[in-house]
Amino acid sequence: MVMAAFARRKEQRLARADGSRKGSVDARAAAVVELLNGQARFCTASSCAGRVLLAQLLAADANRYEVQKKNCSWLMVTHEMCIKDDVMTALEKATGDIVFKFEPFVLHVLCEELQDAQLLHSVAINSGFRNSGITVGRRGKIMMAVRSTHCLEVPLSHMGKLMVSEEYIEFLIHTANQKMAENMRRIDRFYNCLQLALKTAVSANNSPSEEREKNHCVYVHRRKRKTIQKHGVCTSPKDHNKELEHEDDPKSNVDIFGEIMV
Amino acid sequence: MVMAAFARRKEQRLARADGSRKGSVDARAAAVVELLNGQARFCTASSCAGRVLLAQLLAADANRYEVQKKNCSWLMVTHEMCIKDDVMTALEKATGDIVFKFEPFVLHVLCEELQDAQLLHSVAINSGFRNSGITVGRRGKIMMAVRSTHCLEVPLSHMGKLMVSEEYIEFLIHTANQKMAENMRRIDRFYNCLQLALKTAVSANNSPSEEREKNHCVYVHRRKRKTIQKHGVCTSPKDHNKELEHEDDPKSNVDIFGEIMV
């Protein structure tokens, strides 16, 4: 009965028209989206493969210094490597406050049960998406968000006046493209880890129910070792610690990732 | 029995020495930390009130263009408003690749039960911390992370060479301070919303158990209206939508926040 409700909701969602500015799933996110929607217990809600953009803040909100969807227009956006000419051409049109941004892969997935979200969360963390997290709604809807700490947000011009040199913009584009390349590697890693995790989870689910719990743990440990040794795509918890940024310098002595590594 | 286990774990955690670079809880996060630790079902694991910093990437990692704790040193850090002289003095010492960053409030809280994490998540989202999420570990440990989308990450120099003007640095500091001020307002909002939510949750828990579920829903709806009308500290779901950034332009037509608003 619960399963039927999820399946119905999923069908309705996937039948709706795409409401994003772009109107379609990004090519680089498509494989992940397809893999997830092919599973009865997952339904993707939104995704962006990662992008570099120039946002122009509208006058009324320029003082808030925050890029907001409804209060800004995009002068340029690309989901591929960023090209200098496109940035320079877009900057010529600029009149207000312009911000150059790199935004990494983001994915929202509705999950049938909490353990499905846990599996996905584990895959996300192991693939480098350290700001991922689960949301449980009032009526029990479970949403898993895949997010990265990866970011770049650089004010370029103020009230129409460009504040940086062309040489700096070139350097910035190079930096953004480096981040985009790393972002793409992480998406591939996520896809590979997910594929492996789903396979192993299915075989665990096919075994007698009294052994599932045991198998699940074995799967988790085995998967980590396997993916590191054979596939070379997932980071180990140890490697993972090397990637810690802001949240790795907590004002308390807790090893967060020791806690949450599943 | 479960409760006793959480209480024991909490006692052990809070007794440990602070392992952060700074070695103590930030003043601006202290009230929230204290409020949470005063509740039997919450235990804070780490926090940072928000900061502006200059990070120097070490040579070996400069190519990765990512600020990482173990691969960078800090030339300057402040949890208050940023002062130009401090930035300029720090930049004189710079030899490698320098990145100017604003990092917002971040808080990790261990929760006894999933519904405690849901309550906290709802408070966080309503206070403007839109990247917040829950983590459920393999052994059932529940961690709630309060995170914001607020960010600023600006490369300033490459291989010791400053790539921007002093005028631009001034503008950047002004922008960072605007973000810091907004960050402080959000922390205050989070504290006020949390205090109200905890009070209301306690009175709901004191009512007969068969009425709890009903009361909880009433609380949620009432709280939203109350906080908007009387306290003026929480954003309504509608206001909230105005703040959407990256994730508000999903490549699918789902109103995520319609889903997760609790």
Side-chain angles (χ1 to χ4, degrees), chain A residues 54 75-76 78 81-93 100 166 169-170 173 177:
Chain A
L54 278 184
L75 298 179
M76 184 216 78
T78 177
M81 291 297 166
C82 182
I83 295 161
K84 190 190 157 192
D85 282 352
D86 295 346
V87 175
M88 300 314 285
T89 307
L91 280 175
E92 282 167 20
K93 290 177 273 178
F100 178 97
E166 197 170 323
I169 292 172
E170 256 174 53
I173 290 168
N177 285 342

Side-chain angles (χ1 to χ4, degrees), chain B residues 132-145:
Chain B
S132 301
I134 301 167
T135 296
V136 183
R138 186 157 45 99
R139 290 183 300 268
K141 275 189 191 172
I142 299 158
M143 182 79 84
M144 159 67 196

Side-chain angles (χ1 to χ4, degrees), chain A residues 160-176:
Chain A
K161 188 195 162 200
L162 189 63
M163 304 197 71
V164 294
S165 66
E166 197 170 323
E167 189 194 8
Y168 178 74
I169 292 172
E170 256 174 53
F171 176 64
L172 204 57
I173 290 168
H174 179 66
T175 307

